[in-house]
Amino acid sequence: MRATVVAAAVVLAASVPATASAATPECTGLAGVRIPASVISLPTSGGLVTAASVTGESCRVDADLYPVDPAAPAIKLRVALPRVWNHKALMFGGGGYNGTIPDVAANVPFGPADRPAPLARGYATFASDSGHQQNPASPPSLDGSFGTNDEALVNFAAGDALKKTRDASLFLIRRAYGATPAEVFFAGGSTGGREALVVAQRWPAAFDGVISAYPAWNNLAEILDLGYLAQVLSRPGAFPGPAKQTLVYDSVIRACDGRDGVTDGVVSNPGCRFDPRLLRCPGGADTGPSCLSDAQIGAVTAMSSPFRWPYRIASGETQYPGFPFLSGADMRTPFLGFGTTAPAAPMPVTSGYGMQYWDQWVKYFLTRDPGRNGLDIDPRRPGEWLGRISALSLVEDRNNADLRPFARAGGKLILLHGAADELVSPYSTSDYYSRVRSVAGPSLTDAFLRYYVVPGANHASFGTPAFAAGWDSLSALERWVDTGRAPADQVVTDLAHQRTRPLCAYPGWPRYRGGDPAAAASFACVR
């Protein structure tokens, strides 16, 4: 929606009674309000506000959306209504297998440290658990047990819960303020980044602007790669422990860091790739932490290489491009990468996040047998499970990169990824961007989409990354939606090291040209 619509909403807000003012929401009176199924565009049994209370400068509203299948769990959602509303709304995406409601008072992914979060800016914010509740005994975002129910699976994997949550939340926002939001945005990273692309594709007029960070958009394709890597890392002697993971990371940094013109701990030149055979132990045997055995070299190479499966699946996907471990991916965060122990049966919680994700998927999505050992399924030769994999690909990898309806509806998309991501491959996001550009054409793509790869940034700024990215993407998106002025000459801040870099539109990257190496002005975007 354009700025004229914002102005119209302000006029509407001024006309409503004081008891339902657009500046001060009705709060406690929302408790017990029923949400009609008719206000939700996808099938539900309606919903109910289970709680509403004033929390600081906002009203927190919790609600349940009831399923069609009585055996399916409800969608639990939360809406935060600021006391002073800016007539806009923003939905947050989730992470991993979801199962909990994201923090509606949080910032957007890779958000700035010097600007308020959306709720504090006056946005009405909302989110949901995507239609299932995580077992508290499971590691965060790693409970896939809901996948045994078809409605719950589609709510999560196909994104149906996103539109249901959006429709119900806007109903509550209208009920609270007596006005409809002039603009609605979406922001998410990882699974939430995939969800951001899902809403742009499936419901092109539902959101005016979308921020998609490190998106796991081709979820099933990545899962197949993770399953293959779980088998590789479980082989005798193949797993490189944390000391060897650090050895590889440090070696990559030494080899690639200076190729962008400055030695600063950040690999910016995307063309550098380290050869792990340079770390080979004498004779190829494991002789200690200062070298890699042949089996470990094979494992590191597999993690960093494309995985292709020799069969057709319904989505048309044929590969996953691998991870940038030999190009600067952050191996100092084992939980998101290799893990601290090798995959095994049962799958240890100390194995890598992706290996645990695969194990849950095999148990509850693929075989629907909780007793199944994930290492028993070979993604290269799935045998009796090929048909199920193909069917799931239509649910989990339904992003076809045709965002032309979203663009024609006036939608704007900011796509972000860290070049050092150890859990979701930036190569995959670059592939998605290329597909969008191929479908929509360069001119239309440039009119609605900006894609940035941030050197040194890892997955969700986990741990202490080489570059802890912070950028006010929300303000950039607002300007683009309101005025048509696309982001240009943007600067990203390293929140951990007090330095800045130019934010280069893909395929550009920042090269040092002289001056203060902590200042963005000392770098130029090159290709």
Side-chain angles (χ1 to χ4, degrees):
M1 300 180 186
R2 304 288 75 81
T4 53
V5 182
V6 178
V10 173
V11 172
L12 173 63
S15 68
V16 300
T19 54
S21 165
T24 305
E26 168 61 29
C27 186
T28 55
L30 291 172
V33 165
R34 294 197 172 275
I35 303 170
S38 60
V39 304
I40 302 169
S41 66
L42 297 177
T44 72
S45 299
L48 178 71
V49 175
T50 57
S53 60
V54 175
T55 304
E57 292 295 303
S58 66
C59 170
R60 193 177 91 172
V61 181
D62 291 321
D64 287 352
L65 297 183
Y66 302 125
V68 175
D69 175 7
I75 299 170
K76 292 187 176 295
L77 66 85
R78 179 167 296 152
V79 183
L81 305 166
R83 184 178 62 82
V84 179
W85 185 39
N86 68 0
H87 305 278
K88 300 179 182 181
L90 183 142
M91 181 176 179
F92 286 105
Y97 280 118
N98 292 339
T100 58
I101 301 174
D103 182 1
V104 291
N107 213 331
V108 299
F110 286 161
D114 59 349
R115 290 298 310 277
L119 178 61
R121 296 190 193 195
Y123 278 85
T125 59
F126 57 96
S128 78
D129 61 8
S130 80
H132 59 274
Q133 295 76 56
Q134 172 168 311
N135 183 342
S138 299
S141 71
L142 278 172
D143 178 10
S145 59
F146 66 92
T148 57
N149 180 276
D150 285 341
E151 186 172 346
L153 188 151
V154 170
N155 272 334
F156 165 78
D160 283 15
L162 302 170
K163 187 60 163 57
K164 296 174 184 179
T165 298
R166 183 258 187 203
D167 292 349
S169 297
L170 263 61
F171 168 81
L172 294 174
I173 291 170
R174 289 192 298 268
R175 181 77 177 244
Y177 293 111
T180 298
E183 293 169 358
V184 184
F185 297 102
F186 190 103
S190 197
T191 288
R194 172 178 63 81
E195 293 169 341
L197 299 179
V198 167
V199 299
Q201 180 196 321
R202 290 191 63 191
W203 303 285
F207 293 89
D208 301 280
V210 169
I211 298 169
S212 173
Y214 34 95
W217 69 271
N218 48 351
N219 190 227
L220 184 135
E222 180 175 3
I223 288 169
L224 294 177
D225 188 14
L226 292 170
Y228 167 66
L229 295 175
Q231 293 194 334
V232 169
L233 292 173
S234 70
R235 294 170 183 165
F239 182 77
K244 298 204 178 199
Q245 294 171 36
T246 300
L247 169 69
V248 173
Y249 177 79
D250 290 344
S251 299
V252 173
I253 295 298
R254 280 194 299 270
C256 297
D257 184 3
R259 295 197 179 187
D260 53 14
V262 63
T263 301
D264 58 1
V266 175
V267 176
S268 296
N269 187 332
C272 186
R273 182 179 173 90
F274 177 74
D275 185 350
R277 292 174 297 182
L278 297 174
L279 300 176
R280 186 174 187 260
C281 296
D286 189 349
T287 58
S290 62
C291 60
L292 299 179
S293 69
D294 286 343
Q296 291 160 352
I297 290 171
V300 171
T301 301
M303 293 282 284
S304 308
S305 302
F307 172 66
R308 301 177 179 89
W309 44 91
Y311 48 84
R312 292 184 179 182
I313 57 177
S315 68
E317 296 300 317
T318 60
Q319 68 158 356
Y320 192 76
F323 300 88
F325 288 109
L326 297 176
S327 302
D330 203 333
M331 299 178 73
R332 300 168 301 170
T333 54
F335 175 64
L336 296 184
F338 284 76
T340 56
T341 58
M347 190 65 71
V349 295
T350 48
S351 61
Y353 184 100
M355 318 315 162
Q356 297 179 62
Y357 197 97
W358 158 260
D359 191 61
Q360 290 286 301
W361 184 81
V362 167
K363 284 177 165 61
Y364 300 110
F365 282 47
L366 182 64
T367 69
R368 290 181 160 175
D369 176 3
R372 176 72 63 162
N373 171 14
L375 295 178
D376 284 345
I377 306 293
D378 186 346
R380 297 167 300 176
R381 293 176 289 275
E384 64 178 303
W385 301 109
L386 175 55
R388 177 67 176 166
I389 288 174
S390 186
L392 284 170
S393 77
L394 289 178
V395 179
E396 297 186 67
D397 286 357
R398 65 185 300 167
N399 281 297
N400 62 17
D402 186 359
L403 298 183
R404 289 175 295 180
F406 178 71
R408 291 166 183 157
K412 307 300 181 188
L413 169 61
I414 289 176
L415 190 58
L416 290 162
H417 213 125
D421 196 312
E422 63 278 68
L423 182 58
V424 175
S425 175
Y427 305 146
S428 181
T429 303
S430 297
D431 175 45
Y432 178 83
Y433 173 76
S434 297
R435 295 186 190 196
V436 173
R437 200 170 181 85
S438 176
V439 171
S443 179
L444 182 58
T445 301
D446 292 344
F448 83 95
L449 170 59
R450 289 294 180 274
Y451 172 38
Y452 304 97
V453 178
V454 185
N458 71 348
H459 194 79
S461 292
F462 190 84
T464 307
F467 194 96
W471 174 49
D472 190 5
S473 56
L474 182 55
S475 289
L477 185 63
E478 282 181 321
R479 283 192 300 271
W480 201 1
V481 169
D482 290 345
T483 71
R485 183 154 54 96
D489 301 321
Q490 299 293 299
V491 172
V492 61
T493 300
D494 182 352
L495 302 177
H497 302 97
Q498 287 71 57
R499 56 186 173 180
T500 58
R501 293 284 185 274
L503 191 59
C504 300
Y506 180 83
W509 53 275
R511 182 172 181 82
Y512 180 68
R513 62 183 181 181
D516 181 1
S522 301
F523 293 77
C525 292
V526 300
R527 297 191 177 193

